[in-house]
Structures are given as C-alpha cells and as structure tokens.
Amino acid sequence: MENQNMRINREQMIAKVINTRYSVDDQIAILRQRDAKPEEYQAFFDFAEQVKKDVSAEYAAMGGGDGE
C-alpha cells in the first residue's frame, strides 16, 4: 500500500521526462514561436509524442494502470 502511494501517475511522468530536456519556460517559448520557428516546434512536438508513447508503454507493462 505504501509503495503505491509513492508512484506518480502517467501524466506526471510524461511531464517530468519532457522537463528533462525542455524547461517550462522553454516549452512556453517554443509554443509561442511555433509559426516563426517551425523546425524547433516540430522537434519539440516529436520528442513529446515519443515520450508519451514510451511512458504509456512502460506503465502498461507495469500492470496497465496509470500509477494512481
């Protein structure tokens, strides 16, 4: 029971992994400038989508839950 309380949910893990590469300020800047810097935005978007896939697969392998 105690171990389950220490787990973070899937969405929190996705945010933590994305934050290892892009700070919140960086993410805001990229989103704000997505039309001016489409290559930078696409790199961020592709990374975030891959993180979502990887983290979702990891949570599914741990029993199908989202960690809550």
Side-chain angles (χ1 to χ4, degrees):
M1 183 75 159
E2 184 176 321
N3 188 27
Q4 188 172 2
N5 291 336
M6 295 174 63
R7 291 176 63 192
I8 64 174
N9 69 33
R10 186 183 66 86
E11 289 79 14
Q12 291 169 324
M13 180 59 78
I14 290 168
K16 285 187 176 294
V17 174
I18 292 171
N19 288 337
T20 64
R21 184 173 296 180
Y22 297 97
S23 71
V24 172
D25 289 340
D26 290 341
Q27 293 175 50
I28 292 168
I30 290 167
L31 293 172
R32 185 175 51 81
Q33 298 175 2
R34 74 178 188 180
D35 293 331
K37 298 181 179 180
E39 297 85 11
E40 187 175 344
Y41 172 77
Q42 191 62 51
F44 167 73
F45 179 84
D46 293 343
F47 175 73
E49 289 299 308
Q50 188 61 52
V51 167
K52 286 168 53 178
K53 288 178 188 174
D54 293 346
V55 170
S56 294
E58 188 173 324
Y59 271 78
M62 293 185 329
D66 68 358
E68 291 187 298

